[in-house]
């Protein structure tokens, strides 16, 4: 019997696991933890949504002046973690980060709901906010100012692509005998196992 090509290609294996997660996870299977560090090495982590993926990387969108945007400007490397509790699986991804093209960012921004587009304009993400009423008033003012016309992508809003250099697939097993498969990219993917 021929070997299963999916089993030894981490991108195809991600696709298979992600499809299972979308069918079984009750809430937001595309949610991932994004870890960054600033230029001085101080770490930060938050949950974001995967908005695209393929052999060239894993994409999320944000305000470039947010903390994660500033971290990645000074230290363009990130780690991602998907945890699908219902499947008892995790995938860890690490690699360098680059901005997506303006055209990709424009296409994705145009696909968002109008209110989400307005929210991106209204938010000075990660900056101090005196009270919620201020934010809500900005949102209402922008709704009026953009009434009857398309909402363009804000100039400081775009996406990042994490290019995978390592991908680890973790499966929960009894007695802590978990399975950890590590794929490393060095011109081609190599595979190894790790102790749990």
């Amino acid at each position: 019997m021929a070997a299963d090509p999916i089993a030894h290609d981490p991108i195809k294996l991600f696709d298979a696991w992600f499809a299972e997660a979308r069918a079984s996870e009750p809430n937001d299977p595309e949610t991932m933890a994004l870890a960054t560090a600033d230029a001085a090495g101080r770490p930060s982590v938050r949950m974001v949504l995967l908005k695209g993926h393929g052999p060239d990387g894993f994409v999320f969108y944000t305000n470039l002046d947010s903390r994660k945007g500033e971290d990645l400007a000074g230290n363009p490397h990130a780690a991602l973690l998907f945890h699908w509790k219902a499947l008892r699986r995790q995938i860890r991804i690490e690699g360098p980060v680059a901005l997506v093209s303006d055209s990709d960012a424009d296409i994705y921004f145009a696909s968002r709901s109008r209110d989400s587009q307005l929210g991106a304009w209204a938010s000075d993400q990660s900056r101090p906010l005196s009270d919620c009423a201020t934010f809500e008033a900005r949102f209402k003012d922008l709704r009026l100012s953009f009434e009857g016309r398309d909402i363009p992508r804000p100039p400081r809003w775009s996406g990042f692509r994490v290019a995978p250099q390592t991908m680890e697939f973790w499966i929960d097993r009894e007695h802590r005998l978990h399975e950890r498969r590590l794929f490393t990219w060095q011109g081609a993917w190599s595979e190894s196992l790790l102790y749990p």
Side-chain angles (χ1 to χ4, degrees), residues 62-81:
T62 190
N63 184 314
L64 299 181
D65 295 323
S66 65
R67 179 166 177 187
K68 57 187 167 297
E70 291 181 343
D71 281 358
L72 292 169
N75 182 5
H77 300 272
L80 306 174
L81 172 67

Side-chain angles (χ1 to χ4, degrees), residues 101-189:
S101 68
D102 285 345
S103 61
D104 283 351
D106 288 340
I107 290 167
Y108 172 69
F109 189 80
S111 77
R112 289 164 60 100
S113 72
R114 190 169 181 86
D115 282 349
S116 292
Q117 293 174 343
L118 289 169
W121 275 95
S123 177
D124 289 333
Q125 193 172 345
S126 302
R127 298 296 178 260
L129 174 63
S130 58
D131 54 67
C132 291
T134 299
F135 187 33
E136 291 165 2
R138 280 179 98 170
F139 182 86
K140 289 176 183 174
D141 289 346
L142 285 161
R143 178 177 276 160
L144 290 173
S145 69
F146 282 114
E147 190 171 7
R149 58 193 178 105
D150 289 340
I151 302 171
R153 176 172 61 92
R156 294 294 296 162
W157 193 96
S158 190
F160 288 97
R161 178 176 286 107
V162 181
Q165 286 187 332
T166 63
M167 297 181 69
E168 181 189 324
F169 293 78
W170 182 97
I171 301 175
D172 182 36
R173 305 277 193 223
E174 286 187 341
H175 316 301
R176 276 205 90 257
L177 302 179
H178 312 312
E179 178 182 301
R180 294 178 66 189
R181 296 175 63 196
L182 178 66
F183 293 85
T184 304
W185 177 259
Q186 293 176 317
W189 287 108

